[in-house]
Amino acid sequence: PHSSSSSALQPRVADIRRHADGGRLEIHRDDRTIPLIVSDRLRGEQRSGEPRERRRTEREIEGMTLSPWAEQQQGQLIGSFDEKAYLLEKQLKAGDDPYRDHAFNLAESDRLGSERVIRDTRHYRCASVNYDANLPPTSIIITFNNEARSTLLRTIKSVLLRSPPSLIQEIILIDDFSTDPEDCQQLSQIPKVRCLRNERREGLIRSRVRGADSASASILTFLDSHCEVNTDWLQPMIQRVKEDRTRVVSPIIDVISLDNFAYLAASADLRGGFDWSLHFKWEQIPIEQKMSRNDPTLPIRTPVIAGGIFVMDKSWFNHLGQYDTHMDIWGGENFELSFRVWMCGGSLEILPCSRVGHVFRKRHPYDFPEGNALTYIKNTRRAAEVWMDEYKQYYYSARPSAQGKAFGSIADRLTLRHKLNCKSFHWYMENVYPELRIPERDAVSSVLRQGGMCLESLGSDSLGLAECSRGSGAMRPQSQRWQLVEPLLRQQDICLAITAFTAGSKVKMEPCSMKEPRQKWKPKGPTLQHVVSGLCLDSQLSVGPPAITQCRPQLASQVWEPQLIT
Ligand code: LR7
Ligand code: MN
């Protein structure tokens, strides 16, 4: 039922697999933007340490999720707001594709109503953790662009119903120039809810900054517009931030099915990670940390946060420079914030006793004025240029198309980094994310020798043979260092490519792409064969520049001897 347009985080494979031991049901997707799900039916078995009488029945679970405040204050919480009228004003018409406008099943969301019982997905030991009685209140900030009325309302009501009222100072909605201003306006009839509408589309980053600037509480809580908070979600986060304002904390993000809106428990031992293309993914916490975790209620350190759902002290948010407001629409701001928090003296944690559900989608239902890919590149490029120091080269080799794309001025952000006296990305790699592998260390470099001569790149277009340099190790000039990472013959992020598929065609260097057939090589005996044309790399020493010709391994000009650089 989904349209085929894809998001930057579009999952490519989703396959559901039951573990051999029958213990767990997990969804594996190769991009891992949706957390692993622990099947409800089998959760009891996983809690074998729990005494029998501690296991809750469904009825008890229901009793717990409808909090005491909800029961006492049902009326006051919503005030004069006419929920039924609000939802009825916008209904799917018979025959409409329920996925079209929001990339989730709107019919199912509408059918559910604004309040429902959800399973308390926390570890049972969370129920007996104590929090300070006098925790400070928070301003909830929700930005949205054309969110469905039923999901937006459910987000707000879950906050009002499942949080101690004294902790909710206000709920600030930022309507990011949605088509219908009434969506937001009408909701401000609900007590504590305020609505700010952007005069033009700003994107979630500038919208959140606007919300934060107008917040009156000293603690900020950010939520996406299609969430459902779970039992006691707020206290653990406010407690940690109250104890130390430099902590930036997130809940475990549970999964709300985009098809049937089932609320599914996410695995409790995941943290946020990424690859060099700055693609977010959930990953298992490192095994040593997992083994030393004997209290499942303790925080989990995370290298990055998913981005949408977190709590942060307002003065710390401002001190650290809020967000990079030159980032547009969606994407990348979670890396920028995460690097900044860690490198400038703070920390990021996931709190397992806090759970918030989120509808994970497969595509963006809204448009990107500059296009989805360009926007993601602009935003991540800004994050890489400001924060990643020399490690940004790995970003560019993983995302060659980012080179040469506009990203605006970063002078202000560099000044900020300097002023805050932040640590280096090298420090971040060593202390926060040592598990992230560095590509260069994995690919060994070698020279490609022909007698005393070596293959050399001379600028982007021309290649040639030159006397092999005497320098050793790091002193060896870059122009003679090659990494044979099949099928690519790389020099960092540029790769050897043929210019045409016919014999006699010259070779050149260009940005690497695993998908480019002109860049595919394989060693064949002493020669280097271009995979698709079947022709071999020939130095053509006396005839002209290096080219591809008919393979003849007995020809000295086709024999390449890789020699490791040590
Ligand atoms: O132009 C826009 N203006 C907006 O106000 C575009 C979006 N938005 C709103 C939108 O209505 C929603 O409330 O911004 C919020 C996030 O947009 P989504 O829900 O389309 O994004 P997502 O859930 O795919 O995005 C995750 O990554 C984003 C990177 O920029 C943001 O950080 C999101 O907040 C973040 N969501 C989460 O972290 C929830 C868990 C998902 C994961 C992983
Ligand atoms: Mn979202």
Side-chain angles (χ1 to χ4, degrees):
H2 313 294
S3 118
S4 59
S5 92
S6 77
S7 93
L9 299 183
Q10 165 98 49
R12 289 174 292 269
V13 194
D15 89 286
I16 298 177
R17 222 177 281 173
R18 200 172 289 277
H19 272 220
D21 63 1
R24 262 167 42 181
L25 184 70
E26 293 175 338
I27 295 185
H28 294 263
R29 325 165 56 115
D30 71 351
D31 71 359
R32 283 166 290 162
T33 38
I34 295 197
L36 302 179
I37 295 167
V38 180
S39 107
D40 278 350
R41 197 175 57 77
L42 296 161
R43 275 168 69 78
E45 291 166 29
Q46 278 201 309
R47 299 176 178 182
S48 51
E50 187 182 355
R52 239 196 176 315
E53 62 275 18
R54 289 280 311 114
R55 292 195 192 169
R56 304 187 204 101
T57 64
E58 286 299 325
R59 188 160 285 282
E60 281 175 299
I61 292 167
E62 289 179 18
M64 292 195 58
T65 40
L66 277 183
S67 71
W69 312 291
E71 276 153 29
Q72 289 157 20
Q73 311 190 26
Q74 199 70 20
Q76 288 139 270
L77 287 174
I78 303 307
S80 61
F81 178 67
D82 186 349
E83 174 180 316
K84 279 208 185 77
Y86 179 73
L87 294 174
L88 272 172
E89 243 172 71
K90 285 201 180 157
Q91 288 282 295
L92 262 177
K93 288 180 221 36
D96 282 356
D97 173 2
Y99 290 85
R100 191 192 60 200
D101 293 345
H102 305 284
F104 54 65
N105 188 345
L106 181 61
E108 203 56 32
S109 174
D110 288 353
R111 204 182 53 84
L112 265 182
S114 68
E115 279 166 44
R116 62 160 168 171
V117 165
I118 50 174
R119 178 182 284 268
D120 178 355
T121 50
R122 298 172 301 169
H123 189 280
Y124 71 95
R125 276 161 67 178
C126 293
S128 43
V129 174
N130 291 314
Y131 305 102
D132 293 359
N134 59 342
L135 289 173
T138 180
S139 296
I140 311 271
I141 297 167
I142 301 171
T143 121
F144 68 95
N145 173 261
N146 290 330
E147 182 60 66
R149 285 191 169 189
S150 57
T151 37
L152 181 57
L153 179 63
R154 206 176 301 115
T155 306
I156 296 167
K157 285 196 70 177
S158 72
V159 168
L160 294 171
L161 294 169
R162 299 206 183 95
S163 317
S166 62
L167 295 189
I168 307 296
Q169 170 94 14
E170 60 191 343
I171 298 178
I172 303 173
L173 304 177
I174 300 96
D175 169 2
D176 189 13
F177 200 53
S178 303
T179 315
D180 182 0
E182 288 293 309
D183 290 357
C184 190
Q185 226 17 274
Q186 291 193 24
L187 289 171
S188 54
Q189 290 162 16
I190 302 175
K192 294 191 181 183
V193 176
R194 290 205 280 132
C195 166
L196 306 174
R197 178 170 161 90
N198 291 340
E199 291 296 305
R200 54 163 192 205
R201 181 84 176 282
E202 298 285 0
L204 72 93
I205 296 119
R206 289 190 288 277
S207 301
R208 280 189 198 156
V209 169
R210 182 171 179 206
D213 282 340
S214 85
S216 60
S218 65
I219 292 182
L220 308 174
T221 299
F222 296 94
L223 286 179
D224 271 13
S225 46
H226 33 256
C227 289
E228 240 174 310
V229 304
N230 209 324
T231 311
D232 291 349
W233 69 294
L234 196 52
Q235 297 92 318
M237 296 199 281
I238 294 190
Q239 177 81 40
R240 288 294 288 177
V241 172
K242 179 197 170 191
E243 287 166 8
D244 177 349
R245 72 159 189 160
T246 70
R247 292 173 184 152
V248 176
V249 300
S250 295
I252 290 182
I253 303 174
D254 285 333
V255 177
I256 299 173
S257 160
L258 71 126
D259 294 315
N260 59 20
F261 278 74
Y263 187 103
L264 306 165
S267 157
D269 34 39
L270 299 176
R271 63 176 196 176
F274 58 90
D275 62 24
W276 287 107
S277 67
L278 292 185
H279 187 95
F280 178 85
K281 62 183 183 191
W282 297 102
E283 59 183 32
Q284 294 288 334
I285 57 180
I287 189 74
E288 321 80 66
Q289 275 176 48
K290 209 168 183 168
M291 292 197 302
S292 60
R293 263 181 85 76
N294 36 34
D295 181 351
T297 68
L298 293 180
I300 297 165
R301 275 165 52 101
T302 185
V304 291
I305 52 171
I309 308 174
F310 64 98
V311 175
M312 187 166 182
D313 183 277
K314 184 175 172 176
S315 68
W316 183 238
F317 180 74
N318 289 338
H319 174 78
L320 284 189
Q322 301 186 316
Y323 271 120
D324 178 351
T325 50
H326 288 99
M327 291 186 175
D328 301 324
I329 307 297
W330 177 97
E333 91 295 340
N334 55 328
F335 295 112
E336 198 271 345
L337 178 74
S338 299
F339 298 158
R340 188 153 43 90
V341 166
W342 278 116
M343 289 163 61
C344 309
S347 61
L348 297 175
E349 334 182 304
I350 294 171
L351 304 183
C353 289
S354 178
R355 296 264 185 170
V356 173
H358 170 259
V359 186
F360 288 81
R361 297 184 282 201
K362 296 178 180 168
R363 64 175 172 93
H364 298 284
Y366 40 77
D367 67 301
F368 287 68
E370 323 245 303
N372 171 352
L374 275 185
T375 305
Y376 200 69
I377 282 176
K378 176 186 174 186
N379 294 354
T380 53
R381 202 171 170 194
R382 290 183 67 84
E385 286 288 339
V386 174
W387 296 101
M388 289 172 72
D389 302 329
E390 70 273 20
Y391 289 83
K392 73 184 178 194
Q393 62 173 304
Y394 306 121
Y395 163 78
Y396 287 115
S397 41
R399 223 178 244 281
S401 60
Q403 256 149 346
K405 299 273 160 52
F407 63 98
S409 165
I410 51 168
D412 290 356
R413 299 308 279 181
L414 289 173
T415 309
L416 170 79
R417 179 174 169 180
H418 186 75
K419 193 189 81 196
L420 292 173
N421 207 3
C422 306
K423 298 191 185 81
S424 66
F425 200 78
H426 184 70
W427 175 89
Y428 173 87
M429 288 294 294
E430 296 218 305
N431 296 279
V432 180
Y433 203 10
E435 295 79 16
L436 179 60
R437 300 189 51 180
I438 297 170
E440 209 180 28
R441 287 197 198 138
D442 300 336
V444 288
S445 294
S446 49
V447 292
L448 291 171
R449 243 178 203 285
Q450 226 165 58
M453 306 294 271
C454 280
L455 184 67
E456 183 170 84
S457 69
L458 312 153
S460 77
D461 259 5
S462 60
L463 282 115
L465 270 192
E467 196 159 325
C468 296
S469 309
R470 295 253 159 260
S472 66
M475 297 304 291
R476 176 84 57 172
Q478 289 295 333
S479 60
Q480 294 187 0
R481 294 173 84 98
W482 297 90
Q483 292 99 42
L484 299 139
V485 204
E486 269 190 74
L488 301 178
L489 247 174
R490 320 175 62 115
Q491 285 196 337
Q492 315 278 36
D493 47 358
I494 52 171
C495 278
L496 187 72
I498 63 169
T499 49
F501 290 86
T502 48
S505 305
K506 283 200 297 178
V507 291
K508 63 164 187 171
M509 300 301 293
E510 63 181 29
C512 299
S513 161
M514 296 286 278
K515 291 187 212 112
E516 177 51 66
R518 291 181 299 97
Q519 295 182 11
K520 296 191 174 171
W521 301 89
K522 67 164 191 271
K524 186 189 180 195
T527 67
L528 278 168
Q529 186 179 37
H530 178 254
V531 175
V532 184
S533 66
L535 300 168
C536 281
L537 181 66
D538 193 321
S539 66
Q540 300 203 104
L541 202 44
S542 48
V543 198
I548 41 167
T549 60
Q550 215 54 251
C551 292
R552 273 177 294 164
Q554 65 279 18
L555 222 62
S557 60
Q558 285 192 10
V559 174
W560 300 99
E561 190 194 339
Q563 199 173 66
L564 291 187
I565 299 170
T566 47

